[in-house]
Amino acid sequence: MDMNQYLDLFLEESLEHLQNLNQSLLALENNPERLDLLDEIFRAAHTLKGMSATMGYNSIAQLTHQMENLLDKLRERKLSLSPEIIDTLFQCVDALEEMVGSIREGREPQTAIGQLAAGLALLEKGESKHALIKQNVESPAPTADVSIQFNEYEKNLINAALEKGYHAYQLQIHIDEQCLMKGVRAFMVFRNLETVGEIIASRPSVQDIEDEKFDNHITVVLVTHQKETEIKTQLDVISEVKLANITPLGSYKPSSQPYEEIPGTNSNNNIVKEENKINNNKKQRIHQTVRVDIGRLDKLMSLVGELVINKTRLEQIHLTNNTMGLNETIEQIDRIATDLQNVVQNVRMVSIEQVFNRFPRMVRDLAKELGKEVNLILEGKETELDRTVIDEIGDPLVHLIRNAIDHGLESPEERVKANKNREGMLKLAARHEGNQVVIVVEDDGKGINVNAVREMALKNGLVTPAQVENMDDQAIVNLVFEPGFSTAQTITDISGRGVGLDVVKSRIQALSGQVHLETKQSQGTKFVIKLPLTLAIIQSLLVKVQEETFAIPLGNIDETTNLEADHIKNIQGQKVMVLRGKVLPLLFIKNLLAVPGHKEQHELYVVVVRKGEQQVGLVVDELIGQQEIVINSLGKLLTGLPGIAGASILGDGKVSLILDIGTLF
């Protein structure tokens, strides 16, 4: 059976179970007495094992099976939960996530699980993983003088493997003389080795091993991408089995003689099979999916039904020239089109919970690594966003949270000295505001030192002393979004290299969003991200400049007003107007976008737009009105033009450019 048809479903459900494992482990760490959490973790691991075994991903099945054994002992109270067990289970979940990630990218899972499996086996016996290190340095097993005389077929296989970048090892394996079931141990050896590579030769033959017609020694040849340590680990977990010797093999001189297969060895070219398998997997296309409430689909079907009825009615009107009926039908179709748009838009909506859910584990690990105490508060997980935005917003949030924990929040000792709680607060909140979603990342740490930012900006040549003189504190703090900027005294693997906030800003702007920063010394820092609900259809204000029509997203507009040319002032080379006693900088769209035309107008219109806390007035010739527009990409050549978010086709067939306020000024 071709299991690839179920790959999308497997990936989708695997991610859900991994998320469940992470959440339940976090909860179990805080509530070790809750047996229901152990049951939940066991169920998730068990389901994942069954799914992966069915799909043929044996390494995932093997690791989850080992996890099950350990979890079963914990459920039966034969073992006590310890920090070592929790950490090991978290490491297993990380390995599983890595393997599922490989499958999603069309690659075979190559994650080495031997060490983890061995650790789980020891913990299951009530021993510490440290015993694993001790086991590995025990005296070597007795060796047997077993040498393999390869036939031409086997030599060709070894040569082919080496040419394709594999390693080839000859393994001499000793089974304890007191072992009563040598065949079973030999089977376990083959099973474990085949999780990391392919066995292309064995002495004695496979048939003799199955029939237990051998003494206590087996010699096999394994081709693999893994290193010797991983192979050793795979064998260390099998009791009564010792790896006596491991020898890397080199290539053999080619021979013109035809080779003969020997009984008991693999009869097919495993290397070719493996390569074909990987190549086939690479060709698999992973589709993005959205799980949809059945009620929304029912509504969609109902609206399509109404549309069909009205289509029939239009045909009848065409035959009878019934003008009154035509008007009614047009109104009906207008209503249906609006409802259809809303339903389809809702179908694309996904709860932001699936992005937020990854952070408790990340915060826990970072806090532990940095020796900090962090209380993570999640609010508004049910807030819905377009699927496209959901897929893109995760990485910027990861940057902000890592920065907050590494640089924002103080150590418990520093917080106590500053009369704060030992535990730092990190809040991640989401909410709807009109046609936008607002995401806030806030901490109560030490805040950003404005003087340090100023000095670093001058030192790095981001601004000149003259420019700094004219900048207020907010403008100076905003310099942290410049590429390469960092005030961190030390570079860690978490942050401090000055790569991050500029990426955050550019990613959010690419989503037609904005990011704003607020900070207070010793009180904390807050990042406010505003994103459009959907990237497909937006409400906009159409304006005219010369003969061109532009669309400005309504979410960026505060208000509109008119302006006579005589009322435009000039302050230090910047054109401004006075709006209710406040000086408002003016930007002329005609000049910004080099719009052709020489028409001069005495009365102009100003669209007041907002970027973060900054307001400017965009000067246009005419306000056309509010309209819903469908955003279309400008294609590969024009994508990324500053000031332009895309284009839309208007009702009269003309094309209108959509202004991107985030990059316009």
Side-chain angles (χ1 to χ4, degrees):
M1 181 187 289
D2 179 16
M3 303 304 292
N4 289 332
Q5 59 184 313
Y6 304 113
L7 186 59
D8 289 346
L9 186 62
F10 168 76
L11 290 171
E12 190 79 20
E13 294 195 358
S14 295
L15 291 177
E16 285 180 11
H17 289 302
L18 288 170
Q19 185 62 51
N20 192 13
L21 279 171
N22 258 325
Q23 286 179 329
S24 300
L25 278 171
L26 280 169
L28 183 67
E29 188 175 32
N30 296 323
N31 303 281
E33 297 304 317
R34 282 186 56 184
L35 276 177
D36 60 314
L37 289 171
L38 273 173
D39 290 339
E40 185 65 33
I41 295 166
F42 184 88
R43 274 196 296 272
H46 182 73
T47 309
L48 199 53
K49 183 182 82 170
M51 288 164 49
S52 52
T54 306
M55 293 293 292
Y57 299 119
N58 294 328
S59 50
I60 297 178
Q62 186 187 353
L63 185 58
T64 44
H65 178 71
Q66 292 284 102
M67 289 172 69
E68 269 187 347
N69 292 343
L70 178 62
L71 289 164
D72 215 23
K73 289 279 176 69
L74 291 169
R75 289 198 307 172
E76 293 169 0
R77 295 297 183 188
K78 292 180 180 174
L79 278 177
S80 299
L81 194 65
S82 67
E84 187 181 12
I85 290 178
I86 287 284
D87 287 342
T88 306
L89 289 172
F90 271 128
Q91 288 166 9
C92 291
V93 175
D94 290 342
L96 292 170
E97 284 178 339
E98 191 178 323
M99 287 189 274
V100 171
S102 297
I103 296 168
R104 179 177 286 279
E105 291 168 6
R107 297 182 283 113
E108 281 288 293
Q110 297 285 342
T111 307
I113 60 167
Q115 194 76 23
L116 276 175
L120 288 168
L122 286 174
L123 290 171
E124 185 191 335
K125 295 176 187 171
E127 299 174 19
S128 169
K129 285 196 299 180
H130 299 299
L132 187 62
I133 301 168
K134 195 177 173 183
Q135 274 188 12
N136 289 338
V137 296
E138 283 179 354
S139 58
T143 60
D145 184 16
V146 180
S147 57
I148 292 184
Q149 296 297 318
F150 296 114
N151 61 24
E152 291 304 318
Y153 170 76
E154 290 165 336
K155 289 177 182 176
N156 285 339
L157 277 183
I158 293 169
N159 288 341
L162 295 174
E163 285 172 10
K164 292 178 185 297
Y166 286 79
H167 306 293
Y169 296 107
Q170 178 175 309
L171 312 176
Q172 292 182 15
I173 298 156
H174 173 76
I175 297 177
D176 194 290
E177 292 176 359
Q178 304 300 319
C179 179
L180 298 177
M181 301 175 73
K182 290 191 298 183
V184 174
R185 296 299 174 213
F187 168 77
M188 293 172 73
V189 167
F190 276 66
R191 184 196 62 184
N192 284 16
L193 289 179
E194 284 177 347
T195 63
V196 295
E198 293 287 343
I199 297 171
I200 62 170
S202 73
R203 301 292 188 274
S205 68
V206 174
Q207 187 60 50
D208 286 344
I209 292 173
E210 286 179 356
D211 296 340
E212 294 200 8
K213 295 178 181 175
F214 67 106
D215 54 13
N216 297 94
H217 300 282
I218 303 171
T219 302
V220 298
V221 175
L222 180 77
V223 294
T224 176
H225 276 308
Q226 302 293 339
K227 296 179 179 175
E228 293 180 23
T229 50
E230 176 60 18
I231 298 167
K232 288 176 183 172
T233 309
Q234 290 292 337
L235 297 175
D236 283 342
V237 297
I238 307 172
S239 60
E240 299 178 306
V241 169
K242 293 287 182 190
L243 176 62
N245 194 18
I246 178 166
T247 310
L249 298 177
S251 58
Y252 291 86
K253 287 182 181 178
S255 169
S256 57
Q257 294 178 357
Y259 59 80
E260 295 178 359
E261 290 186 14
I262 58 173
T265 58
N266 296 322
S267 58
N268 296 319
N269 189 332
N270 292 317
I271 309 301
V272 176
K273 274 174 64 181
E274 184 70 17
E275 288 295 316
N276 289 340
K277 190 177 177 185
I278 292 171
N279 290 335
N280 287 337
N281 282 335
K282 283 180 180 174
K283 290 175 187 171
Q284 292 164 7
R285 187 177 173 189
I286 308 299
H287 300 279
Q288 270 196 330
T289 56
V290 176
R291 291 196 171 189
V292 181
D293 187 323
I294 191 71
R296 290 179 176 175
L297 284 182
D298 289 343
K299 177 72 176 169
L300 198 59
M301 183 59 79
S302 169
L303 288 169
V304 171
E306 285 189 48
L307 207 54
V308 172
I309 293 169
N310 281 284
K311 176 194 160 201
T312 311
R313 194 174 174 192
L314 274 176
E315 289 169 351
Q316 289 175 345
I317 289 169
H318 174 66
L319 294 175
T320 59
N321 289 324
N322 180 359
T323 312
M324 184 68 77
L326 179 63
N327 288 335
E328 287 177 6
T329 309
I330 289 173
E331 286 174 8
Q332 286 285 338
I333 289 177
D334 181 58
R335 179 187 62 77
I336 294 168
T338 305
D339 288 352
L340 265 176
Q341 178 188 322
N342 289 334
V343 173
V344 172
Q345 193 168 307
N346 285 335
V347 164
R348 289 181 57 87
M349 290 294 179
V350 179
S351 161
I352 202 170
E353 182 178 12
Q354 62 179 261
V355 178
F356 279 15
N357 279 345
R358 73 164 89 163
F359 297 129
R361 168 72 194 285
M362 191 185 89
V363 169
R364 176 250 185 207
D365 289 350
L366 279 178
K368 203 168 180 179
E369 185 180 339
L370 297 170
K372 296 184 178 180
E373 296 177 16
V374 182
N375 176 27
L376 176 66
I377 301 170
L378 298 178
E379 291 180 356
K381 290 197 290 186
E382 67 286 352
T383 307
E384 289 188 329
L385 261 174
D386 190 283
R387 172 63 196 250
T388 312
V389 182
I390 288 280
D391 290 342
E392 297 293 329
I393 195 60
D395 288 343
L397 291 179
V398 167
H399 273 295
L400 295 180
I401 290 172
R402 289 166 74 95
N403 268 337
I405 298 175
D406 197 14
H407 300 307
L409 294 175
E410 310 93 334
S411 66
E413 296 75 22
E414 288 172 329
R415 291 182 66 84
V416 169
K417 279 184 189 172
N419 292 322
K420 293 181 176 180
N421 289 331
R422 284 180 61 85
E423 195 177 58
M425 184 277 292
L426 177 60
K427 184 196 279 186
L428 187 59
R431 64 177 183 274
H432 282 140
E433 269 188 18
N435 285 326
Q436 292 184 313
V437 167
V438 178
I439 302 173
V440 178
V441 181
E442 182 178 9
D443 68 70
D444 67 345
K446 53 193 170 192
I448 295 175
N449 186 327
V450 179
N451 291 329
V453 174
R454 183 188 289 113
E455 288 172 14
M456 192 58 71
L458 286 169
K459 183 180 174 184
N460 292 343
L462 294 175
V463 289
T464 64
Q467 287 174 315
V468 167
E469 286 297 317
N470 294 322
M471 295 171 77
D472 58 17
D473 284 355
Q474 184 61 49
I476 291 171
V477 166
N478 284 340
L479 290 172
V480 299
F481 289 112
E482 294 298 318
F485 187 91
S486 176
T487 58
Q489 300 297 314
T490 55
I491 293 173
T492 68
D493 60 345
I494 296 167
S495 54
R497 295 183 185 278
V499 179
L501 287 181
D502 62 313
V503 177
V504 169
K505 185 180 177 184
S506 59
R507 290 288 288 272
I508 290 170
Q509 286 179 343
L511 295 169
S512 302
Q514 300 172 30
V515 57
H516 172 65
L517 166 63
E518 299 170 18
T519 185
K520 285 186 180 175
Q521 190 82 31
S522 306
Q523 293 185 33
T525 303
K526 182 179 2 178
F527 288 88
V528 181
I529 299 169
K530 292 186 177 180
L531 294 164
L533 267 180
T534 175
L535 299 181
I537 301 172
I538 60 167
Q539 288 279 349
S540 69
L541 175 68
L542 296 184
V543 300
K544 201 159 190 177
V545 179
Q546 296 296 322
E547 297 303 321
E548 299 292 332
T549 302
F550 294 94
I552 305 174
L554 222 54
N556 298 117
I557 299 175
D558 281 350
E559 60 179 302
T560 60
T561 184
N562 57 348
L563 171 69
E564 291 185 7
D566 300 342
H567 293 168
I568 297 175
K569 310 293 182 189
N570 202 322
I571 299 178
Q572 296 182 340
Q574 170 67 56
K575 291 185 176 176
V576 301
M577 68 175 286
V578 178
L579 181 64
R580 293 191 292 279
K582 183 182 173 186
V583 176
L584 182 72
L586 295 177
L587 296 175
F588 287 74
I589 296 291
K590 179 186 172 185
N591 300 334
L592 275 177
L593 301 179
V595 181
H598 303 286
K599 190 168 64 178
E600 295 292 339
Q601 286 192 205
H602 179 70
E603 186 173 9
L604 299 166
Y605 292 88
V606 176
V607 181
V608 182
V609 295
R610 179 178 292 275
K611 177 180 163 186
E613 293 302 302
Q614 187 182 2
Q615 266 190 334
V616 300
L618 299 179
V619 181
V620 300
D621 296 340
E622 185 182 341
L623 302 179
I624 297 175
Q626 185 179 328
Q627 189 171 314
E628 272 189 335
I629 57 170
V630 179
I631 302 177
N632 293 299
S633 165
L634 289 172
K636 290 181 181 175
L637 284 178
L638 299 177
T639 296
L641 278 180
I644 305 295
S648 182
I649 300 172
L650 304 179
D652 58 5
K654 291 181 180 175
V655 174
S656 166
L657 289 176
I658 303 164
L659 299 187
D660 181 5
I661 301 303
T663 59
L664 191 63
F665 56 92

